[in-house]
Amino acid sequence: MTAVRVAGVLLTAFFFGITFEGIGRKVTARIQKRYGPPWYQNFIDLFKTLTKHGWTHGWIFDFGVLMALGGVIATLSFVPLGNLVAFPGLDNFFVIVYLFTVGALGMAMGMVGTGNPWASIGVARALTLMLGYEVPYLITITSLLYFYRTSNITAIIQAQADGWNLFKFPIGALVAFISLQGMLGKEPFEAPIAPSEIASGPMVELSAKYMGLLMLMNSFMEFVEISLFVDFFLGGGTYFVFLLKYLIVWILAVMISSVLPRFRIEQAVAFYWTVPIILAFVQAFIVVNLK
């Protein structure tokens, strides 16, 4: 049964994650008064890249790409998709955070292994940005864990039966969503990619199957990040209700991204360490006093 549930989680993330990305491209195009590609274009791009022979930069590069994808797949397996839980009782927030770092480290190792300075700059920017958004995000989530006296995500979902945390802790939800925008790499926090500045940064040396694996990794990573927001603040829900909530959060993030310019990396970190971190401490103070 466990294998079936894991397969269900991974197939959901694969099909709906890539489908929603295609819908997001369509939404962005319409906001910018373009027609945009069809919603299934990302599937075409993914399968096309995976069928081509790419150029490697050595075993560190190859291992880094596989480590990044493997780390994200392992992380995704422990994330509840509403009432679809691959490992009941093991969907612990700290387990997810621990596994998530494996994918990030693999990505950094593989891309720096290319020797391209643009890739190194992109990785450095990504790690710097993480220092910005992770602090307010972790303060907010930790305050929720303290309030519910558990780090089990399913238990927190069930505790929202009488009302979502979005309404119980609106300040924390706002901080988490602002942090989510940075996790997704959406404007105004797109500095690690910045195609016009550093030629897409970490992806500059990727081609063919390596690009396809990174596209898959990125899709799974986005699925983890948005799923956690839906679970923590929107009460999870049944399978299809969860996917509907996911789509709404994703489209909102895409719409905001479509109309905002990009921060410089120092501006992004300075922003996260001012308004969001202050709001996160306010939320933590409120939670402590409620308890």
Side-chain angles (χ1 to χ4, degrees):
M1 265 313 275
T2 299
V4 173
R5 290 195 296 265
V6 171
V9 169
L10 296 181
L11 288 175
T12 297
F14 175 77
F15 180 76
F16 287 102
I18 297 177
T19 298
F20 291 164
E21 283 183 353
I23 294 174
R25 293 178 68 179
K26 201 76 172 177
V27 170
T28 299
R30 291 306 174 92
I31 290 175
Q32 297 174 352
K33 296 185 177 180
R34 297 182 288 110
Y35 184 76
W39 65 268
Y40 51 83
Q41 183 63 49
N42 282 26
F43 285 101
I44 297 174
D45 295 341
L46 176 62
F47 291 129
K48 181 179 180 180
T49 56
L50 291 176
T51 59
K52 294 185 176 295
H53 178 72
W55 180 262
T56 183
H57 295 272
W59 71 268
I60 294 180
F61 173 73
D62 292 345
F63 181 75
V65 173
L66 293 176
M67 179 179 171
L69 179 59
V72 174
I73 289 175
T75 306
L76 180 60
S77 300
F78 287 89
V79 177
L81 307 187
N83 60 357
L84 175 58
V85 186
F87 298 100
L90 297 178
D91 51 321
N92 189 290
F93 176 72
F94 295 109
V95 172
I96 293 171
V97 170
Y98 177 80
L99 291 174
F100 204 73
T101 59
V102 175
L105 291 175
M107 174 78 168
M109 181 176 68
M111 299 309 101
V112 172
T114 65
N116 190 306
W118 294 132
S120 299
I121 293 172
V123 169
R125 286 185 176 190
L127 296 177
T128 303
L129 186 62
M130 286 176 63
L131 292 175
Y133 63 68
E134 283 196 348
V135 175
Y137 181 78
L138 289 177
I139 292 173
T140 299
I141 298 301
T142 303
S143 66
L144 286 182
L145 304 185
Y146 172 80
F147 181 81
Y148 289 110
R149 293 294 195 272
T150 181
S151 58
N152 183 270
I153 300 176
T154 297
I156 294 176
I157 292 173
Q158 294 171 348
Q160 296 178 71
D162 60 339
W164 299 347
N165 286 332
L166 174 66
F167 304 114
K168 293 179 182 177
F169 308 108
I171 298 176
L174 176 61
V175 172
F177 185 80
I178 294 173
S179 299
L180 177 64
Q181 201 77 6
M183 294 178 193
L184 297 174
K186 296 294 184 184
E187 285 86 347
F189 309 110
E190 199 207 14
I193 304 299
S196 60
E197 293 178 20
I198 53 174
S200 296
M203 299 183 292
V204 65
E205 289 289 339
L206 291 171
S207 62
K209 60 184 178 183
Y210 297 103
M211 176 61 79
L213 292 174
L214 184 69
M215 289 170 61
L216 191 59
M217 184 212 75
N218 183 67
S219 181
F220 284 166
M221 187 177 292
E222 290 175 347
F223 211 88
V224 169
E225 293 158 351
I226 298 178
S227 295
L228 288 177
F229 182 87
V230 173
D231 287 337
F232 275 118
F233 295 98
L234 300 181
T238 60
Y239 183 75
F240 290 106
V241 171
F242 170 86
L243 291 175
L244 177 60
K245 293 176 181 177
Y246 181 105
L247 179 59
I248 293 172
V249 173
W250 168 248
I251 290 179
L252 180 59
V254 168
M255 290 174 67
I256 293 173
S257 173
S258 301
V259 297
L260 290 178
R262 181 174 65 243
F263 279 155
R264 297 197 305 269
I265 188 64
E266 66 272 19
Q267 291 175 322
V269 175
F271 170 78
Y272 274 121
W273 282 5
T274 51
V275 178
I277 202 168
I278 291 172
L279 292 176
F281 278 119
V282 169
Q283 181 65 79
F285 177 79
I286 292 173
V287 168
V288 170
N289 281 273
L290 283 175
K291 266 316 207 188

